[in-house]
Amino acid sequence: MRHLVVAPGSRSAPLAYAAAAAQAAGALEVHVRVDERSAAFTALGIARATGRPAGVLTTSGTAVGNLLPAVLEADHAEVPLVVLSADRPPELRGTGANQTTRQPGMFGDHVRAAVDLLPDDDVPARLEEVLAALAGRGPQGPRPAGPVHLNVALREPLHPAPEDGPVLAARARLLAARTGARPDPGPAAVAAGPVAVPPPDAGTARSVVVAGDGAGPDAARFAEACGLPLLAEPSSNARSGPHAVGAYRLLLDSPLGRRIERVLLVGRPTLSRPVGALLAREGVATAAVRPALVAWYEPGRRRERVLTSWAEAAAFTGRGAPGWAQVWREAGAAADGAVAGLLAAEPPGRATGPAVAAAVWEACRRDGAVLLAGSSNPVRDLDLAARPGPGSPLVLANRGLAGIDGTVATAAGAALGGGRPVRALLGDLTFLHDVSSLLLGPGEREPDLQLVVLNDGGGGIFTTLEHGVLGEQEEYRAVVERFFGTPHEARLDALCAGYGVAHRRAAGVAELEQALAAPVRGRSVLEVVVDRRGLRDLHARIRAAVARAAAEAAAQDTAQDTAQDTAPDNGAGGRTGR
Ligand SMILES: Cc1ncc(C[n+]2csc(CCOP(=O)(O)OP(=O)(O)O)c2C)c(N)n1
Ligand SMILES: [Mg+2]
């Protein structure tokens, strides 16, 4: 652990003093946050960006309860978050002692280990349980990475005596020597390994690779090696290279999309109904290549056949049918062109979510900032409008549970831990939900973080769902607006001023692009006002434009197909049924 985020409190004081000594010895960087929920998401962001466990330390009582959202996200997203909570010793528990509740096991089975460290325990042995769980080894056998909970019972005195100083310092130096200068492994999402190609006698098929959250660049290399279209969500970190199809989700229900025969899933798809429908489509064979253990679903609960190696995956997909990758590349380019053309034709000064997403994506590609994608529309706007290219930005997102909470803190943590500036693209409610994470005390390290807030005065995503249809009916209009639109008139500039954070409003895409040209330094908010009411119509127009582009591409594939089918058989597996 290289980073510890500490929230203030009295029961946790001995650990806070120890943390300070560890920081002084260079063993640990300590960050202080007042709000425990914010502290936990900050640690989560650090752990995500570094690929190394990061800790959060709190006092007892409700303070610990505030960690639950980040623990849940860490559980489902396999992030090694280390929770250190201070507690009363056993003799004071259950006696009505102040700020004392039932903390051991508080996170249920959302943590990989829950250790209640008592004053007379064999500390190294108990710590070993936590470390084993962090390394994926637990008493119940191997488990995926995830959060751990160390509840530490502390007796008084809770502050160091004069003679404790040198002892703490000596231990901290020891710790620093042990931690050494080992580099961070880096975000789990970008680890790359060797991929396989199909054996020479493998047949060809109309297979596609779907890369969901956390798939990593191997998915792209596999698609390239096998000649397959790659349908990659932004946080797959596989959305690059010649096989990645940009606005793929609008092509899945096109004549071209309906020709898909096999789907190889890598990572976890969470973003769109068309992908969900494809994975459930009758007549389409599906398989998932993944490590033996994942945290996001229970074994046996998904339809895809589970494959554990790229060689098995290659045997499943075969090679792309002749012309298959090419026709997808062309359809993808045509779809991307249709989306970009439509967005560019919007009146100047009126920004839209997808246009903003495209601009933020390009800015990160240009200057190397990490892109943190907020839940709801922003991540989906990216999925629609981010053009794959030779090198795509690193994208991080809390897709474990897709919460709109903790996003500001997660982004700040990613900036503090990752050593690179972060641009976060997030909705206004997502921003307001976690606005208190802008609070930063003097002396705390300032993250290089730009928050690009798409402000549509409420929850826009619901407009694009069934509620949007109901909201157009007189009978439901007010209900839908109040309960789903959740409108607000909060002034983001005033909030930023309150926290001492720079704020700027961009009136349209041109102004936004100008603002994005500057490098990300310190914390700032870039607010872009977008229209929530026009969202259904905008997406309908985008779908129509892409449908036209897709129809042309499908016509081409059919023409090629006719030529192919008159040629000699093209492989042992051959094409399976349409
Ligand atoms: C913690 C949490 N509460 C509620 C939700 C349900 N939810 C999903 S999207 C959304 C609205 C988000 O609004 P905003 O951030 O402004 O993005 P927009 O939909 O406008 O693009 C809500 C409330 C959630 N995902 N997480
Ligand atoms: Mg909104």
Side-chain angles (χ1 to χ4, degrees):
M1 206 161 91
R2 275 282 170 60
H3 292 263
L4 178 68
V5 188
V6 175
S10 155
R11 188 55 53 171
S12 52
L15 293 168
Y17 286 110
Q23 163 136 316
L28 202 61
E29 181 173 355
V30 181
H31 312 270
V32 177
R33 297 292 183 275
V34 172
D35 178 336
E36 287 80 9
R37 185 172 67 165
S38 182
F41 274 109
T42 304
L44 179 92
I46 293 170
R48 265 194 188 290
T50 58
R52 185 191 282 275
V56 56
L57 168 65
T58 75
T59 190
S60 62
T62 56
V64 194
N66 276 285
L67 308 179
L68 182 62
V71 168
L72 294 177
E73 173 62 26
D75 173 12
H76 289 264
E78 304 174 7
V79 178
L81 176 69
V82 180
V83 170
L84 296 165
S85 57
D87 200 352
R88 298 286 187 286
E91 63 272 16
L92 292 179
R93 296 179 186 174
T95 65
N98 185 37
Q99 221 174 299
T100 306
T101 181
R102 298 175 295 281
Q103 285 177 204
M106 193 186 233
F107 300 108
D109 66 357
H110 293 289
V111 287
R112 305 292 183 266
V115 166
D116 187 22
L117 189 65
L118 302 177
D120 303 320
D121 273 353
D122 173 357
V123 175
R126 305 296 328 265
L127 288 184
E128 191 47 49
E129 285 175 46
V130 178
L131 294 174
L134 270 178
R137 296 176 276 117
Q140 316 96 321
R143 290 189 71 184
V148 293
H149 180 198
L150 184 59
N151 189 57
V152 189
L154 293 157
R155 285 199 181 112
E156 293 182 7
L158 300 169
H159 53 83
E163 64 274 20
D164 292 339
V167 180
L168 270 180
R171 288 191 182 171
R173 279 194 300 275
L174 249 166
L175 185 65
R178 269 222 308 270
T179 339
R182 261 182 300 141
D184 290 335
V190 298
V195 297
V197 293
D201 62 344
T204 60
R206 290 200 171 88
S207 303
V208 298
V209 176
V210 168
D213 181 59
D218 285 353
R221 296 193 306 127
F222 178 84
E224 284 163 35
C226 298
L228 300 175
L230 170 67
L231 320 178
E233 293 185 357
S235 67
S236 66
N237 288 304
R239 195 180 174 104
S240 63
H243 287 245
V245 180
Y248 65 90
R249 81 165 182 243
L250 299 182
L251 295 172
L252 295 181
D253 198 28
S254 72
L256 176 63
R258 285 194 290 274
R259 300 168 81 94
I260 295 170
E261 297 163 344
R262 302 180 195 174
V263 182
L264 179 74
L265 177 62
V266 194
R268 175 182 180 197
T270 63
L271 292 188
S272 72
R273 292 183 182 184
V275 167
L278 172 66
L279 289 167
R281 197 184 283 176
E282 218 178 298
V284 169
T286 57
V289 61
R290 57 171 61 114
L293 297 162
V294 286
W296 57 269
Y297 79 102
E298 294 164 26
R301 301 286 299 159
R302 286 190 65 95
R303 173 192 178 207
E304 300 88 28
R305 210 171 95 203
V306 175
L307 313 173
T308 52
S309 73
W310 288 111
E312 285 175 61
F316 168 77
T317 59
R319 285 173 204 283
W324 179 238
Q326 179 64 19
V327 74
W328 272 92
R329 186 154 41 229
E330 284 160 13
D336 288 349
V339 173
L342 191 133
L343 295 176
E346 289 294 292
R350 199 208 286 169
T352 60
V356 172
V360 169
W361 170 267
E362 290 307 327
C364 293
R365 192 209 297 282
R366 218 172 29 239
D367 66 14
V370 173
L371 204 173
L372 189 126
S375 296
S376 198
N377 278 327
V379 67
R380 294 180 172 83
D381 287 342
L382 273 171
D383 191 43
L384 183 68
R387 291 238 200 171
S392 296
L394 172 67
V395 178
L396 302 177
N398 280 343
R399 298 310 300 165
L401 287 177
I404 61 164
D405 49 348
T407 309
V408 174
T410 304
L416 289 168
R420 280 159 70 179
V422 171
R423 269 195 195 86
L425 177 69
L426 67 170
D428 50 319
L429 294 187
T430 302
F431 173 74
L432 291 169
H433 202 296
D434 196 29
V435 68
S436 60
S437 288
L438 290 180
L439 182 66
L440 195 68
E444 293 306 311
R445 180 150 73 89
E446 168 111 12
D448 289 326
L449 170 64
Q450 183 174 52
L451 299 161
V452 181
V453 181
L454 281 161
N455 189 358
D456 59 4
I461 195 162
F462 299 111
T463 316
T464 67
L465 306 176
E466 290 78 359
H467 312 291
V469 184
L470 285 175
E472 281 167 4
Q473 299 169 20
E474 191 48 45
E475 190 188 351
Y476 286 108
R477 182 164 305 150
V479 172
V480 168
E481 176 60 5
R482 182 174 173 216
F483 289 85
F484 299 94
T486 47
H488 68 87
E489 291 171 353
R491 277 186 44 208
L492 273 48
D493 57 344
L495 285 166
C496 289
Y499 287 105
V501 170
H503 171 277
R504 178 173 172 182
R505 196 176 291 120
V509 178
E511 214 178 302
L512 169 75
E513 281 173 344
Q514 194 201 352
L516 289 172
V520 176
R521 294 278 176 274
R523 293 172 308 149
S524 61
V525 168
L526 185 51
E527 177 183 0
V528 193
V529 175
V530 293
D531 175 32
R532 184 151 53 87
R533 278 159 320 205
L535 216 48
R536 279 188 72 71
D537 172 60
L538 174 72
H539 281 281
R541 286 186 290 129
I542 291 175
R543 274 197 302 277
V546 171
R548 280 193 298 277
E552 284 165 28
Q556 262 181 36
D557 183 41
T558 314
Q560 274 191 16
D561 224 33
T562 317
Q564 293 293 339
D565 288 349
T566 55
D569 185 44
N570 53 27
R575 288 178 176 182
T576 53
R578 300 279 138 79

